[in-house]
Amino acid sequence: MADPNTKQMSQKSANIAAGAVVCVESEIRGDVTIGPRTVVHPKARIIAEAGPIIIGEGNLIEEQALIINSYPENIMPDTEGVEPKTMTIGINNVFEVGCVSQALKIGDNNVIESKADLGKNVILTSGCIVGACCQVNTCEVIPENTVIYGSNCMRRVQTERPQPQTLQLDFLMKILPNYHHMKKTVKGTSTPVRN
Amino acid sequence: MASLLQPDRVLYLVHGEKKIRSPLSTLYFCRYCSELRSLECVSHEVDSHYCPSCLENMPSAEAKLKKNRCANCFDCPCCMHTLSTRATNIPAPLPDDPSKTTMKKAYYLACGFCRWTSRDVGMADKSVASGGWQEPDNPHTQRINKLIEYYQQLAQREKLERDRKKLARRRPYMPLAFSEKYGLGTRLQRQRPGAPITSLAGLSLKEGEDQKEINIEPAQALDEVEPLPEDCYTRPINLPEVTSLRQRLLQPDFQPAGASQLHPKHKHLLIKRSLRCRKCEHNLSKPEFNPTSIKFKIQLVAECQVLLTLTNPVENITHVTLVGCEEGDPEDINSTAKVMVPTKELVLAGKDAAADYDELAEPQDFQDDPDVVAFRKSNKIGFFIKVVPQREEDGDVTVSFKIRHDFRNLAAPIRPSEEGDAPTEAIWLTHHVELSLGPIIA
């Protein structure tokens, strides 16, 4: 798939830590670093066009999720002087099916529900929940523990953080290798289990 | 089917108290009056109450007691979604040995949509899964109940006075009990639309019961009002804490201004309604009693009886004549084009469910004028009409005409006919139809 091509270019390759479970059917382009205990489902897309993406530990990226570090709209890809911005994603986040995230900075314990859409200028702190089909494209920092829900993107603050999906992650890390091929991890000594 | 995807293209005119034009899929057909009925010219009656989330049926008396609320289900005070009960394990000391702790189940309410939990307002976790949750009491309940009792008594007294006057004028020998037992409830004395409905009038005391004199104190007006807090204008607003108007008004007892006082309320019940023709008092639509069933005991929908455009829903051969609307027709207000409809009578074969599967069926032998009939297939027919738009502006072209067809009332009540003729007689029905053909392309 994209693996032999990406290895030829010097900087741009996927850096998958040991303990992460990344399916081969997922599309990872560009300079992407994935932390341990992260699960990337098939058909997920992580595209680092305009800069590297660093994903932390314990994240769950489901099918058809799109995490993209793209160029701002009014800048052509070939102009010089554009510094690549790094997209950072913290730990224990959940990107549910079909969501699109272009936010440059995402903290910990966030849940981005199905078909949610995060714009480039949003910064998620910790414990935020962006509801299904909610589009957040304002230029702001979302405070901690905010829940965005409803067709009008109403907001409220919740008292508890969403719990990290440890049970789900453990289950997936056991089951997914039985049915899918995995991408090779770069660091670590053991090769992932293959059918 | 055009009726499902583009419901507003073909409109039928209903002759009721008001002239209503609506698509056939929303109309009913009273087969006793042989007329179309719309939702506005039938009377709606409550059939049964049920909870939309636990689908539990509730008898009407119990529903009235519980103020039309379900006993088990709650609504989220924040987003009005249904709350679900979640369990956690908390360590709790054993009653015998306080030093050891065991895991006990604690239940709390949580909303899946906005992530509100019952812990947000300070409600303690309960140890039982259902039945442990109480709504907070309204401090004014006692006063309100007393007022209601007083006014019930007053309404009762006034009704007696009125009945006594009426009976004294007309029939002096009718017992007093007659008017009370046959009070509001029968259709003869049904509330006319527009008259205020007094729910108190239904709750009348039984005969023979001693009527206690209830006195109420009038409400006292106070001179001093609680002053606003001093930092009212300077205190910064904590937006997540402010309740929206909708959240506030859904709890009319308290109307809390702060989100930390929003308590969940029991879920409102929904009703199943039955429709009744106002002229002949027959039921047009009666749903099933079981809340999980969406079928109907009686459902006289217009699509089953009245001709759809081009399709014959009944099983007899039907003859259709189309007549254009004349100049100055009072019902023809919306058409923006003149239409020339075929003048000959069109014949539609009956609906035969087995015709698709029967290969040896004889081909239908209708002589069709190719200028009039475009195609014919089992019980459908396509025909040509000529349309001349009258206005040049960019509007929708609407034509109207009348369909006249024969209708056999298969379920007419059995009347001993003196002439001894065939049980199904054809009646000719005329409907005024408006057809929206779409915009004019230059």
Side-chain angles (χ1 to χ4, degrees), chain B residues 86-141:
Chain B
R86 293 209 193 138
T88 55
N89 283 322
I90 52 160
L94 274 177
D96 305 329
D97 197 353
S99 58
K100 290 188 198 162
T101 56
T102 179
M103 301 304 278
K104 223 171 46 157
K105 278 215 183 270
Y107 299 94
Y108 63 97
L109 294 172
C111 173
F113 191 57
C114 68
R115 315 276 175 146
W116 180 93
T117 63
S118 59
R119 293 170 177 168
D120 286 355
V121 286
M123 290 168 74
D125 297 349
K126 304 281 186 258
S127 47
V128 280
S130 62
W133 303 99
Q134 304 289 340
E135 282 182 25
D137 282 329
N138 186 358
H140 305 291
T141 322

Side-chain angles (χ1 to χ4, degrees), chain B residues 46-271:
Chain B
V46 173
D47 204 53
S48 60
H49 300 266
Y50 68 99
C51 171
S53 69
C54 61
L55 292 179
E56 189 198 323
N57 208 320
M58 205 178 267
S60 313
E62 195 185 334
K64 211 190 263 188
L65 252 186
K66 296 205 176 142
K67 305 202 176 158
N68 290 332
R69 304 243 171 204
C70 177
N72 306 326
C73 308
F74 285 91
D75 270 344
C76 173
C78 191
C79 65
M80 296 91 204
H81 188 65
T82 313
L83 288 177
S84 52
T85 314
R86 293 209 193 138
T88 55
N89 283 322
I90 52 160
L94 274 177
D96 305 329
D97 197 353
S99 58
K100 290 188 198 162
T101 56
T102 179
M103 301 304 278
K104 223 171 46 157
K105 278 215 183 270
Y107 299 94
Y108 63 97
L109 294 172
C111 173
F113 191 57
C114 68
R115 315 276 175 146
W116 180 93
T117 63
S118 59
R119 293 170 177 168
D120 286 355
V121 286
M123 290 168 74
D125 297 349
K126 304 281 186 258
S127 47
V128 280
S130 62
W133 303 99
Q134 304 289 340
E135 282 182 25
D137 282 329
N138 186 358
H140 305 291
T141 322
Q142 270 203 347
R143 167 92 176 141
I144 293 178
N145 282 341
K146 219 173 167 205
L147 284 172
I148 290 181
E149 271 183 33
Y150 175 74
Y151 281 107
Q152 267 178 27
Q153 211 187 50
L154 200 60
Q156 172 79 1
R157 256 190 243 149
E158 284 181 1
K159 198 161 71 118
L160 276 177
E161 296 276 336
R162 241 186 302 136
D163 288 340
R164 220 175 281 147
K165 280 188 208 163
K166 272 193 211 164
L167 296 174
R169 260 184 272 148
R170 294 181 198 172
R171 301 173 208 179
Y173 298 112
M174 191 102 95
L176 209 63
F178 190 85
S179 72
E180 273 189 84
K181 266 195 227 163
Y182 295 94
L184 296 164
T186 56
R187 291 198 294 276
L188 304 166
Q189 300 184 11
R190 192 186 289 150
Q191 295 275 3
R192 267 167 252 114
I197 299 172
T198 47
S199 57
L200 305 173
L203 311 160
S204 52
L205 293 172
K206 292 203 177 75
E207 262 228 10
E209 218 177 85
D210 291 333
Q211 297 188 359
K212 283 182 277 179
E213 282 290 327
I214 301 178
N215 292 320
I216 51 162
E217 300 145 9
Q220 291 180 347
L222 293 171
D223 252 345
E224 288 179 7
V225 182
E226 216 179 270
L228 284 174
E230 279 182 3
D231 58 350
C232 183
Y233 294 108
T234 52
R235 187 179 48 195
I237 296 179
N238 182 11
L239 258 185
E241 179 67 13
V242 177
T243 52
S244 76
L245 212 57
R246 185 152 189 247
Q247 289 167 352
R248 227 178 272 193
L249 294 176
L250 273 178
Q251 312 213 349
D253 299 350
F254 304 99
Q255 295 183 29
S260 53
Q261 285 139 28
L262 279 177
H263 288 268
K265 286 212 104 169
H266 285 280
K267 205 162 180 63
H268 220 81
L269 297 175
L270 296 181
I271 58 162

Side-chain angles (χ1 to χ4, degrees), chain A residues 41-92:
Chain A
H41 283 236
K43 295 297 178 191
R45 291 159 62 205
I46 307 178
I47 299 175
E49 259 180 0
I53 297 182
I54 300 177
I55 302 182
E57 299 188 354
N59 294 301
L60 178 56
I61 302 169
E62 295 190 353
E63 287 87 347
Q64 301 200 1
L66 171 60
I67 302 177
I68 179 167
N69 187 354
S70 61
Y71 292 103
E73 283 159 4
N74 48 359
I75 299 180
M76 296 298 295
D78 292 329
T79 41
E80 296 176 3
V82 180
E83 288 180 16
K85 288 189 188 168
T86 313
M87 179 189 275
T88 332
I89 297 180
I91 64 177
N92 289 331

Side-chain angles (χ1 to χ4, degrees), chain A residues 44-145:
Chain A
R45 291 159 62 205
I46 307 178
I47 299 175
E49 259 180 0
I53 297 182
I54 300 177
I55 302 182
E57 299 188 354
N59 294 301
L60 178 56
I61 302 169
E62 295 190 353
E63 287 87 347
Q64 301 200 1
L66 171 60
I67 302 177
I68 179 167
N69 187 354
S70 61
Y71 292 103
E73 283 159 4
N74 48 359
I75 299 180
M76 296 298 295
D78 292 329
T79 41
E80 296 176 3
V82 180
E83 288 180 16
K85 288 189 188 168
T86 313
M87 179 189 275
T88 332
I89 297 180
I91 64 177
N92 289 331
N93 296 301
V94 177
F95 292 82
E96 287 193 11
V97 175
C99 69
V100 174
S101 166
Q102 302 183 44
L104 285 176
K105 197 163 167 4
I106 298 182
D108 313 329
N109 289 317
N110 299 302
V111 176
I112 301 172
E113 289 189 3
S114 304
K115 297 225 172 186
D117 195 331
L118 289 177
K120 266 194 92 63
N121 299 317
V122 182
I123 295 180
L124 289 185
T125 48
S126 306
C128 301
I129 298 184
V130 181
C133 272
C134 290
Q135 289 184 350
V136 187
N137 42 21
T138 49
C139 178
E140 65 170 312
V141 176
I142 312 267
E144 289 201 7
N145 290 340

Side-chain angles (χ1 to χ4, degrees), chain B residues 92 137 371 393 421:
Chain B
D137 282 329
D371 286 338
E393 65 216 15
D421 54 4

Side-chain angles (χ1 to χ4, degrees), chain A residues 140-152:
Chain A
E140 65 170 312
V141 176
I142 312 267
E144 289 201 7
N145 290 340
T146 310
V147 179
I148 302 177
Y149 66 97
S151 53
N152 298 329

